[in-house]
């Protein structure tokens, strides 16, 4: 769907790029000509992923150990990336932590760990990269991965919900404030996309089918669908899109929100009866 040189000459820093959706997006960027840094805590996984992606695409991947909660370490990783590739043009804030739990069962440390990875991690990278780009007078782009419940809120993932909604607000705020420096910013809000990281922590055993039933398209997302959207949103082709949150969820959250959407349980006979009842009421 894209020209193969769409991201030629772009260097993209992907947090959490060793696994799951970060890995899939990194692979798509490489196929489209980008150079990629993947950064997270577990170096062994990053090295394995880097080797796999380089073999699959022929592109160049730099793995860097990084805990995004540590601002000093973020600056160190940025320096290492610039020393290796000459510059970094795009930041993808994808790293996250999450698990389902009744909120009252959480320790304060459990709350902290999620908010720190998701919100502090995202503003740490955004601030460090932003200061660097502004000092260098370099135009740049940021893409943040949030969730649909960043807008709606959700029980049982409350630390994640409040942190993702903070990242969403960061996106909208800095898209405006930093446009004058040529730094633009958007977010993607995915619905369910199977990954080992999310499924192991979020899907109670036996409830998988209920997850799919809630989605109007009756299927979960495919990684390539998200990766193509991300490729477009980091490319120069989408430059005039700034401060947006693009949902990619097969219509899932709207299905829950629309007052009468539950009526898809009615049979044709019940619809016939309903019509007769309404027409009768119209005549009275
Ligand atoms: C309650 C829990 C818990 C759980 C950990 N804790 N797991 N509390 N229920 N399931 C508590 C611990 O007891 C501890 O508190 C505190 O959290 C910190 O735990 P650690 O294990 O020390 O933290 P750490 O090793 O840093 O691991 C971080 C993590 C882990 C977030 C807990 O899950 C992780 O590394 N996740 C990274 C990947 C990930 O989560 N991917 C999913 C993203 S999916 P105490 O007080 O006991 O010391 C996503 C969106 C999905 O975000 C949307 C789907 C539609
Ligand atoms: P994942 O594979 O578990 O990815 C999370 C990544 O974050 C891991 O690679 C992890 O690597 C990294 N990470 C965690 N803590 C970190 C830290 N402190 N510093 C640096 N990196 C850290 O899960 P995923 O499903 O692909 O999630 C990717 C993104 O999509 C997340 O933002 C998630 O919220 C979002 N999302 C996913 C879904 C879905 O259905 N899968 C839906 C909506 C939104 P290390 O362990 O090596 O640090």
């Amino acid at each position: 769907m894209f020209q193969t040189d769409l991201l030629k000459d772009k260097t993209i820093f992907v947090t959490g790029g060793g696994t799951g959706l970060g890995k899939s997006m990194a692979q798509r960027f490489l196929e489209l000509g980008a150079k990629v840094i993947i950064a997270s805590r577990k170096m062994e996984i990053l090295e394995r992923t880097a080797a796999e992606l380089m073999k699959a695409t022929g592109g160049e991947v730099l793995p860097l150990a990084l805990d995004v909660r540590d601002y000093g370490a973020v600056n160190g990783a940025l320096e290492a990336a610039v020393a290796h590739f000459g510059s970094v043009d795009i930041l993808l804030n994808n790293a996250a932590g999450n698990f389902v739990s009744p909120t009252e069962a959480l320790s304060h440390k459990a709350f902290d760990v999620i908010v720190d990875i998701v919100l502090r991690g995202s503003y740490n990278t955004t601030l460090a990269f932003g200061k660097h780009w502004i000092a260098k007078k370099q135009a740049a782009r940021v893409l943040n991965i949030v969730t649909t419940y960043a807008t709606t809120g959700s029980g049982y993932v409350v630390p994640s919900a409040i942190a993702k909604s903070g990242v969403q607000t960061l996106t909208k705020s800095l898209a405006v404030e930093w446009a004058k420096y040529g730094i633009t910013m958007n977010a993607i809000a995915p619905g369910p996309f199977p990954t080992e990281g999310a499924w192991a922590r979020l899907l109670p055993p036996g409830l998988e089918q209920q997850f799919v039933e809630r989605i109007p398209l009756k299927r979960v997302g495919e990684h390539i669908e998200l990766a193509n959207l991300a490729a477009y949103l980091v490319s120069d082709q989408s430059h005039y899109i700034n401060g947006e949150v693009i949902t990619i969820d097969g219509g899932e959250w709207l299905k829950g929100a629309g007052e009468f959407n539950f009526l898809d349980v009615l049979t044709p006979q019940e619809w016939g009866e309903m019509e007769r009842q309404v027409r009768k009421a119209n005549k009275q």
Side-chain angles (χ1 to χ4, degrees):
M1 93 183 254
F2 298 119
Q3 305 205 350
T4 49
D5 63 352
L6 182 77
L7 300 175
K8 190 170 166 282
D9 302 326
K10 300 289 185 202
T11 302
I12 308 179
F13 193 106
V14 183
T15 68
T19 64
L21 296 176
K23 178 179 172 184
S24 296
M25 289 186 277
Q27 169 152 2
R28 193 69 185 116
F29 299 159
L30 289 160
E31 289 165 358
L32 295 168
K35 287 168 235 143
V36 171
I37 300 105
I38 52 174
S40 74
R41 296 165 301 176
K42 299 180 188 127
M43 194 56 180
E44 208 184 307
I45 291 177
L46 292 170
E47 279 172 343
R48 209 180 314 139
T49 297
E52 190 190 316
L53 294 183
M54 286 195 280
K55 190 165 172 224
T57 65
E60 197 180 347
V61 182
L62 174 68
L64 289 177
L66 170 66
D67 188 329
V68 291
R69 291 171 288 188
D70 178 346
Y71 186 72
V74 168
N75 270 315
L78 172 58
E79 262 174 44
V82 172
H84 188 88
F85 285 122
S87 69
V88 175
D89 309 290
I90 293 151
L91 166 65
L92 171 53
N93 281 312
N94 164 80
N98 203 357
F99 44 72
V100 284
S101 173
T103 307
E104 67 278 15
L106 294 174
S107 68
H108 77 275
K109 207 175 143 200
F111 220 110
D112 283 350
V113 77
I114 304 302
V115 175
D116 282 351
I117 297 171
V118 175
L119 181 54
R120 190 190 300 278
S122 300
Y123 70 65
N124 276 349
T125 51
T126 307
L127 188 65
F129 282 60
K131 282 175 184 283
H132 166 81
W133 288 324
I134 292 165
K136 283 189 66 190
K137 297 189 172 17
Q138 182 189 338
R141 196 130 168 103
V142 179
L143 179 62
N144 296 320
I145 306 299
V146 294
T147 64
T148 51
Y149 61 67
T151 299
T152 61
S154 175
Y156 307 104
V157 282
V158 169
S160 170
I162 63 172
K164 291 286 191 184
S165 103
V167 175
Q168 196 161 291
T169 300
L170 177 79
T171 311
K172 292 179 178 176
S173 306
L174 284 181
V176 174
E177 188 183 335
W178 284 357
K180 61 179 176 283
Y181 300 121
I183 299 170
T184 52
M185 207 168 293
N186 292 292
I188 295 177
F193 283 76
T195 65
E196 219 179 293
W199 258 225
R201 293 176 176 89
L202 299 168
L203 257 193
L207 294 186
E208 294 87 350
Q209 198 48 34
Q210 281 194 26
F211 229 61
V212 173
E213 283 305 315
R214 290 155 33 87
I215 304 166
L217 290 180
K218 302 292 178 220
R219 68 171 177 88
V220 290
E222 289 178 19
H223 284 212
I224 188 65
E225 294 174 311
L226 181 91
N228 277 330
L229 176 60
Y232 172 63
L233 286 175
V234 299
S235 77
D236 292 339
Q237 301 302 316
S238 62
H239 187 246
Y240 205 53
I241 301 176
N242 187 28
E244 280 302 313
V245 182
I246 317 277
T247 298
I248 176 164
D249 73 344
E252 183 194 32
W253 89 262
L254 281 172
K255 162 106 193 227
E259 187 79 40
F260 289 98
N261 287 340
F262 74 100
L263 290 186
D264 57 14
V265 298
L266 293 190
T267 62
Q269 289 76 8
E270 286 168 326
W271 275 119
E273 186 50 43
M274 191 68 217
E275 184 177 344
R276 275 189 292 282
Q277 187 183 309
V278 174
R279 287 185 185 283
K280 196 172 149 201
N282 288 345
K283 286 194 186 121
Q284 286 165 357

